[in-house]
Amino acid sequence: MANELSEVQRSLIGKQNKKGQTYTDPQHLFFEAPRIPAFFTGSEVIKEAIRRASVDVMVAYPITPQSEAAALIGELYAEGYVAEYMRGESEFAVMGQCAGAAFGGARVFTTTAGPGTMRAFENFPMWVGSRLPIQVIVTCRGINSPLSIQPDTLEMYFLLGTGMLVWHAETAQDFFDWILKGYIVAEQPDVHLPIAVCCDGFFVTHTKDTVLLTPPEMCLPPYDPYRSPVPCMDMETPPVRMMRDPFVMKSNYISYMTHASWQEETRGACERSRKHTIPMIGGLIETENTDAEILIVASGTAVSQGREAIRLLEDEGIRVGLVKVKSLRPWPGQEIREATKHAKHIFVPEFNVIGWLAQEVKATIPDNHRVIAGPHVAGGMTMPAEVIVEEIQKALGRHVTTLAGRGS
Amino acid sequence: MSKEKIQICPEFYDIMPPEYRDLVEQATYGKEGRGWKDIGQSKELIEDHSLCAGCPESMAFRYILASLPNPEDTVMVGSTGCTSLVFPHVAVHNIHSLFGNQNAVASGLKRALSVRFPGRIKDVVVLAGDGATVDIGLDMTLQAWFRQEKFTTICFDNELYANTGGQESGLMRKGFVAKMAPVGKKFEKVRLPEIARESGCAYVVNCTVSKPNLVEKVIRNAVLIAREIGPTYLQLYTPCILEIGKNSMEGLQEMRDSEKPGERFRYYEYVTDSAKQFLAELEAKEKQTAAAAIEG
Ligand SMILES: Cc1ncc(C[n+]2csc(CCOP(=O)(O)OP(=O)(O)O)c2C)c(N)n1
Ligand code: SF4
């Protein structure tokens, strides 16, 4: 069964927390409870999601463009919605503090971006191997030198290999829903992995959008650390002597095999998250008109720009379909093969210089010469829909009708 | 956790390894006044060790585990290094995550345990090498002290990076020739005990592990003060006999030699006034209990 609660969690449904919020069955909270429209920035949306997430510990550190959200969670702590809140001393330390709190059985939240993500990096595969279902919000920004604070999704490329669940939100609405749903998926005993919910910095964090919020008087049931596939480090269960010879020291087959199989297992856990994720966020991908000869495959705000481009092309009589990739890990390989099977040309617009999504798509589908990796913008440049239109027109050998922002 | 939780399901009793059965039946979880003298008469909380034969770290581990005031409610945090080879043999929950982040992990852990078990004792004890504590992890070591995180930091000071083969560390003596210090270390041994004092530790001790009763006393003080007052720091000399060219039998003498007056590991202690008062009250209470026991 997907997205089950433990007995302890079930027993709390309908009861109130100390702020008077009612622990609510996630199914009801997400799919049945009334929604209230609000006009909020992405940062405010993060705060509203965490207000409802029964988070025990948040560790914060300033870096644009997530500083505001991280500070807003501090307000929630001051109001009593988050049990513990601290500023760490660097992202490396923050992720260690998050690990400690998660090892100790807390539901943990943090946010980072760009250089912060890179500074934190050693922790991410460690979280995976330790099966810590920490949620980190990554509000992507440039990681290049000279220093940049502008939107750029290059850092996500590195996250893809960590073993974490990685989702890429397009809108503030995705963000609100996925932060809450992310905990439910990540904490399933057969998953129990950290999750990075990413968005394109500024475009999502600093713009206002209408978001349908769940009622503030309802919240998620708390984390139950005894559903973890590995013991919670709280001395509430008997300690075991793990092994006579620590594997790190052994150069033998058993040792190699142990490490290899644990890596396989954590990757397997990521794959197993599919059955929980699909009903939660409506599939790992979302598609429109995939019978069209031309497709745009995108994630994050490139999806929104793709939609706009599709509208412009429609005016010219060019029909283009869309694949919105919501989950990057697990990777929706089968879904993308299926969705692209009719396409002759597949465009992958991205906000980074290397085109990691295009690389992934190319590695997934047959006849991958169909993939046109682009357009790419980077370093904070925006991607007007006209740039995508132009790329498509050029590739089709058509007359280019839009010269976005070029002057004359 | 109470000792009752450490039980073996009767159906599995006969297939459990004998050392685990011993742990359930003979260990000193929950025992009042446990200490190093229990060694030899009870089941220790360390099964084995994979250190070099005669490594003083192994003695230190045994004394520390015998002296923790509440092992049934203690979680330890380690780091990468020779110590990380021992933790898998230790029968209290312990965390290894990365090299150098131990005080960050302990900060998060302590806070989580305080949220989850309000009003209950949950001690957190960090144990790491000098490379982890003073070099790669110094930032996190100090920041935990600045923030007044209520846990104990123990540094096994062997004055070098042992696990990677004897490289220079910040706690190495000036002039010592080692890997990565090919013409001798060029700067003084970092004075971490004094830095700890200035950084807000309520109790700081620098000593060797040559005397088990001393180790017992400082561990107990450090854990109890950290629980009630603020961060505590113990820097214990556990010489790396392998890298300084000593035989297995020579670790103890090496420690005795270096704790003499004027030597690097002469006993140094710093206790804040509030910690002193706490210790005095504790002693008075213990005397009272002992007197009552005699009368009773
Ligand atoms: C990030 C990182 N850098 C370097 C290492 C390699 N490394 C493993 S153990 C160690 C030395 C440990 O020295 P110390 O903390 O003094 O402990 P000891 O082995 O001496 O007990 C080093 C450098 C590592 N594991 N991780
Ligand atoms: S290398 Fe040194 S510190 Fe490590 S186990 Fe051997 S003697 Fe002990």
Side-chain angles (χ1 to χ4, degrees):
Chain A
M1 272 284 287
N3 299 308
E4 279 193 41
L5 298 179
S6 72
E7 237 170 84
V8 177
Q9 290 173 314
R10 285 239 156 266
S11 72
L12 285 166
I13 300 297
K15 302 222 165 79
Q16 291 195 342
N17 68 12
K18 68 177 198 291
K19 292 301 289 177
Q21 291 175 301
T22 305
Y23 294 120
T24 305
D25 186 308
Q27 292 296 323
H28 179 72
L29 183 69
F30 300 143
F31 303 112
E32 294 155 13
R35 292 272 178 152
I36 306 138
F39 191 56
F40 276 152
T41 65
S43 304
E44 289 164 336
V45 164
I46 296 175
K47 176 184 180 185
E48 288 312 312
I50 295 306
R51 187 195 295 284
R52 294 152 174 83
S54 304
V55 164
D56 297 304
V57 178
M58 149 105 200
V59 191
Y61 195 79
I63 185 167
T64 307
Q66 58 81 56
S67 305
E68 189 190 347
L72 289 173
I73 312 303
E75 291 179 9
L76 286 179
Y77 164 68
E79 292 169 32
Y81 287 97
V82 172
E84 181 65 44
Y85 178 88
M86 67 180 283
R87 174 197 54 81
E89 56 269 44
S90 72
E91 288 82 358
F92 176 74
V94 164
M95 303 309 163
Q97 283 142 2
C98 288
F103 273 118
R107 180 176 285 158
V108 183
F109 182 70
T110 191
T111 53
T112 192
T117 309
M118 305 312 280
R119 179 69 59 101
F121 227 86
E122 193 186 354
N123 288 273
F124 297 139
M126 178 272 283
W127 287 0
V128 170
S130 305
R131 305 301 285 266
L132 305 175
I134 299 162
Q135 179 161 177
V136 54
I137 294 294
V138 181
T139 64
C140 299
R141 75 171 244 195
I143 55 172
N144 63 292
S145 196
L147 181 65
S148 157
I149 62 164
Q150 304 302 338
D152 189 312
T153 60
L154 185 52
E155 68 201 86
M156 288 181 66
Y157 172 69
F158 300 96
L159 287 171
L160 297 181
T162 57
M164 292 199 282
L165 309 182
V166 181
W167 297 355
H168 196 181
E170 176 193 356
T171 59
Q173 184 70 59
D174 282 350
F175 228 29
F176 176 79
D177 292 335
W178 295 3
I179 289 171
L180 292 164
K181 291 172 176 177
Y183 276 120
I184 299 303
V185 172
E187 290 170 5
Q188 294 301 314
D190 58 348
V191 179
H192 225 271
L193 287 176
I195 177 165
V197 177
C198 307
C199 78
D200 303 351
F202 291 102
F203 297 142
V204 177
T205 51
H206 285 58
T207 54
K208 281 201 165 191
D209 202 354
T210 302
V211 184
L212 299 172
L213 304 177
T214 58
E217 63 277 7
M218 294 183 183
C219 64
L220 290 183
Y223 173 53
D224 177 358
Y226 303 118
R227 289 212 297 168
S228 169
V230 295
C232 174
M233 291 289 130
D234 59 4
M235 277 305 271
E236 291 295 310
T237 53
V240 288
R241 194 193 70 189
M242 287 184 285
M243 58 197 102
R244 191 176 289 273
D245 299 312
F247 293 127
V248 63
M249 283 305 280
K250 294 291 156 185
S251 298
N252 61 28
Y253 181 75
I254 296 287
S255 164
Y256 308 150
M257 191 56 198
T258 307
H259 288 293
S261 59
W262 190 239
Q263 289 197 39
E264 289 290 335
E265 158 52 21
T266 55
R267 263 64 187 173
C270 182
E271 283 303 310
R272 293 195 294 267
S273 72
R274 282 168 168 273
K275 67 171 176 288
H276 308 292
T277 307
I278 290 168
M280 272 286 158
I281 65 170
L284 305 186
I285 64 170
E286 225 166 77
T287 58
E288 285 168 32
N289 302 327
T290 48
D291 56 333
E293 284 195 357
I294 306 167
L295 271 189
I296 292 175
V297 179
S299 66
T301 59
V303 178
S304 314
Q305 299 311 99
R307 278 187 228 280
E308 205 47 32
I310 290 170
R311 202 179 50 76
L312 294 174
L313 287 162
E314 211 171 79
D315 292 345
E316 290 181 35
I318 302 175
R319 191 159 174 271
V320 179
L322 179 72
V323 176
K324 166 175 171 173
V325 182
K326 299 192 275 190
S327 165
L328 294 156
R329 291 291 180 272
W331 173 245
Q334 185 54 40
E335 289 91 333
I336 289 176
R337 269 192 296 280
E338 184 62 28
T340 55
K341 70 178 179 211
H342 302 296
K344 293 213 166 84
H345 310 280
I346 300 162
F347 293 86
V348 188
E350 290 182 66
F351 284 92
N352 66 76
V353 72
I354 54 172
W356 48 255
L357 184 61
Q359 287 177 18
E360 295 269 316
V361 175
K362 276 186 189 164
T364 300
I365 62 168
D367 304 321
N368 66 10
H369 59 269
R370 296 180 293 159
V371 176
I372 296 139
H376 294 147
V377 296
M381 289 178 55
T382 54
M383 190 192 300
E386 289 82 355
V387 171
I388 305 175
V389 169
E390 183 184 316
E391 185 91 9
I392 293 176
Q393 285 173 330
K394 260 197 311 205
L396 297 180
R398 303 230 179 175
H399 173 64
V400 174
T401 54
T402 57
L403 282 173
R406 303 281 159 85
S408 56
Chain B
M1 186 179 69
S2 59
K3 190 168 188 287
E4 289 74 65
K5 283 207 180 156
I6 309 178
Q7 293 296 343
I8 299 173
C9 163
E11 282 78 11
F12 292 139
Y13 191 88
D14 59 328
I15 59 161
M16 288 303 280
E19 60 264 34
Y20 201 84
R21 279 189 241 154
D22 279 354
L23 191 68
V24 172
E25 282 151 21
Q26 312 263 4
T28 52
Y29 298 109
K31 182 183 169 214
E32 277 282 316
R34 61 193 300 280
W36 74 275
K37 287 190 176 135
D38 297 327
I39 294 176
Q41 300 178 38
S42 63
K43 179 69 181 171
E44 290 179 60
L45 300 186
I46 175 169
E47 183 60 40
D48 235 327
H49 69 79
S50 18
L51 302 164
C52 299
C55 174
E57 283 193 358
S58 64
M59 300 160 64
F61 257 104
R62 297 179 68 185
Y63 301 158
I64 290 168
L65 285 163
S67 309
L68 292 173
N70 285 70
E72 64 280 6
D73 278 302
T74 300
V75 183
M76 298 187 77
V77 181
S79 196
T80 316
C82 286
T83 53
S84 55
L85 307 181
V86 182
F87 273 111
H89 305 273
V90 168
V92 303
H93 279 173
N94 59 82
I95 298 171
H96 173 267
S97 61
L98 297 173
F99 182 40
N101 68 345
Q102 59 281 346
N103 279 38
V105 170
S107 300
L109 174 69
K110 180 72 193 182
R111 285 158 186 260
L113 296 177
S114 307
V115 167
R116 291 190 53 225
F117 303 100
R120 275 187 55 189
I121 291 169
K122 285 286 173 188
D123 294 325
V124 171
V125 176
V126 169
L127 200 172
D130 50 300
T133 309
V134 184
D135 293 336
I136 196 166
L138 182 64
D139 179 12
M140 287 161 280
T141 305
L142 297 186
Q143 298 273 0
W145 295 342
F146 299 159
R147 287 193 305 262
Q148 293 289 295
E149 303 280 356
K150 286 179 151 179
F151 60 80
T152 298
T153 304
I154 304 171
C155 172
F156 275 6
D157 180 6
N158 56 14
E159 305 195 295
L160 45 76
Y161 288 65
N163 197 232
T164 36
Q167 294 84 3
E168 176 189 294
S169 101
L171 289 192
M172 181 175 276
R173 279 170 284 169
K174 186 175 178 183
F176 195 87
V177 177
K179 288 174 193 133
M180 302 191 187
V183 294
K185 185 177 178 237
K186 290 184 176 166
F187 62 99
E188 294 291 347
K189 182 175 173 79
V190 173
R191 288 154 60 176
L192 197 63
E194 284 124 299
I195 297 172
R197 183 189 68 201
E198 295 303 315
S199 304
C201 284
Y203 180 74
V204 180
V205 168
N206 179 51
C207 65
T208 79
V209 298
S210 68
K211 302 184 193 77
N213 55 342
L214 179 69
V215 177
E216 177 184 313
K217 187 183 110 198
V218 301
I219 290 290
R220 207 177 144 71
N221 287 351
V223 173
L224 295 177
I225 292 172
R227 192 190 291 168
E228 301 296 334
I229 295 175
T232 56
Y233 175 58
L234 304 179
Q235 187 165 314
L236 306 178
Y237 185 41
T238 53
C240 173
I241 49 174
L242 183 78
E243 292 296 338
I244 61 174
K246 302 270 175 189
N247 290 322
S248 297
M249 302 298 286
E250 292 172 340
L252 186 58
Q253 195 54 47
E254 167 62 24
M255 291 191 281
R256 285 181 176 154
D257 290 343
S258 44
E259 68 196 8
K260 289 181 180 148
E263 292 294 331
R264 303 186 307 295
F265 292 95
R266 64 191 176 278
Y267 187 79
Y268 166 91
E269 180 184 80
Y270 166 74
V271 197
T272 59
D273 288 342
S274 54
K276 266 185 205 147
Q277 196 187 334
F278 169 77
L279 289 178
E281 284 166 13
L282 200 69
E283 205 183 318
K285 239 187 263 166
E286 274 165 10
K287 273 191 188 141
Q288 238 175 20
T289 324
I294 292 167
E295 277 169 29

